[in-house]
Amino acid sequence: MAVISGWSLVGDPDEFAAGEEFLLARAATNLPLLIALSAFRSGGGRTPPLFGWWTRPEGTIGGAFVRPSFGPLLLGDMPVEAAAALLGHLDGAPDAWAGRSDLAEAFASACPGRPVGHRSRLHRLETLRPCSMPDGFARPATPADHDLLDRWYESVTRGHGTPGAVAGRLASGDLHLWETGGRVVAVAGHGPRFGSAVRLDPIYTAYEHRGYGYSTALVAAVTRSLMAGGATEIVHVATPANPATYQCLGYQTVAEYVTFSRSA
């Protein structure tokens, strides 16, 4: 392990206890890093990952990052100065990095790159508010819904999704549907829970059924279920291509996130 100017870097997740504890304490805004860490422990990826945490001068942990086996380096919560200094402690510049906009830009001050894709906004539930209820009801997705959900998944990812993703989500039981008039019109799911935090994903309404409030009612139902299960920090991500923020339900913007690439 190397300890240099506040940054401690390790290649073994079992040595990342200090960083992981920090991420869990702020799980709602660090879920991508916790998900990547969990995926590695589950056997995902062959390239050695890298983990790191930043220590303040007084000795407390104030930031962390995860470089997964594949994909961009993920910047967790940290001061801007820690993000700007991180490159000097890495063994080479990453091809891409992602994080809160101010942190990604600070890293880019030492590692020139350009934003790629859409910026996204993280929204967190403050207090769940009642909403008007459209016709229909929420229900768990079942294997009988696989073909429909698979077509929706292909449409959303434009054919670039992970094969078998829908089957895996059905097996985990985290997908719910809104059904009306005998037709399924929307889906909402959630990822794994870390501490008391969980992220809603996916949220999708079939194009021809948009504008009726189906996804809002479904998100409200899934949110209530998660709260009943003990989740206290529920978040979702929206992009300009999917601008729904569900502010009517009590979700408020927390921060903006962006991905940078050196090859852009």
Side-chain angles (χ1 to χ4, degrees):
M1 173 172 60
V3 182
I4 310 174
S5 302
W7 276 111
S8 302
L9 277 60
V10 297
D12 184 343
D14 293 333
E15 297 180 43
F16 186 54
E20 185 174 7
E21 183 177 351
F22 172 82
L23 295 176
L24 284 168
R26 305 183 180 200
T29 52
N30 288 298
L31 282 173
L33 290 81
L34 291 165
I35 292 169
L37 182 60
S38 175
F40 174 75
R41 285 177 169 155
S42 300
R46 298 180 181 178
T47 304
L50 185 66
F51 312 95
W53 65 92
W54 184 78
T55 306
R56 299 186 182 96
E58 63 270 25
T60 58
I61 306 300
F65 79 88
V66 172
R67 187 185 69 190
S69 301
F70 55 91
L73 180 148
L74 302 173
L75 300 167
D77 289 341
M78 65 181 72
V80 169
E81 61 268 26
L86 176 56
L87 179 64
H89 307 301
L90 300 176
D91 183 16
D95 293 329
W97 56 96
R100 206 174 66 216
S101 295
D102 58 335
L103 301 178
E105 290 163 2
F107 189 88
S109 68
C111 181
R114 298 179 62 183
V116 294
H118 293 302
R119 290 177 183 257
S120 60
R121 291 184 177 91
L122 183 73
H123 304 272
R124 177 167 51 198
L125 180 70
E126 299 298 329
T127 301
L128 184 62
R129 302 170 186 164
C131 67
S132 59
M133 295 294 293
D135 292 337
F137 58 93
R139 67 168 176 83
T142 72
D145 302 302
H146 177 275
D147 289 349
L148 171 63
L149 294 177
D150 200 48
R151 290 196 299 272
W152 284 359
Y153 182 74
E154 283 291 306
S155 175
V156 170
T157 64
R158 297 180 181 178
H160 297 290
T162 304
V166 170
R169 298 296 296 271
L170 287 171
S172 66
D174 62 24
L175 294 178
H176 290 75
L177 308 175
W178 192 267
E179 184 174 327
T180 181
R183 300 185 65 182
V184 174
V185 295
V187 59
H190 60 84
R193 180 172 150 185
F194 293 92
S196 61
V198 63
R199 185 174 69 184
L200 300 177
D201 179 60
I203 303 172
Y204 177 79
T205 303
Y207 183 81
E208 64 273 21
H209 297 294
R210 294 175 185 176
Y212 296 95
Y214 297 135
S215 66
T216 299
L218 184 54
V219 165
V222 173
T223 299
R224 283 193 296 269
S225 176
L226 290 170
M227 293 172 63
T232 58
E233 292 192 280
I234 306 170
V235 301
H236 81 90
V237 175
T239 68
N242 179 28
T245 59
Y246 303 103
Q247 290 182 340
C248 63
L249 296 177
Y251 283 89
Q252 301 297 324
T253 303
V254 175
E256 184 179 79
Y257 292 78
V258 65
T259 297
F260 273 72
S261 171
R262 288 198 296 138
S263 59

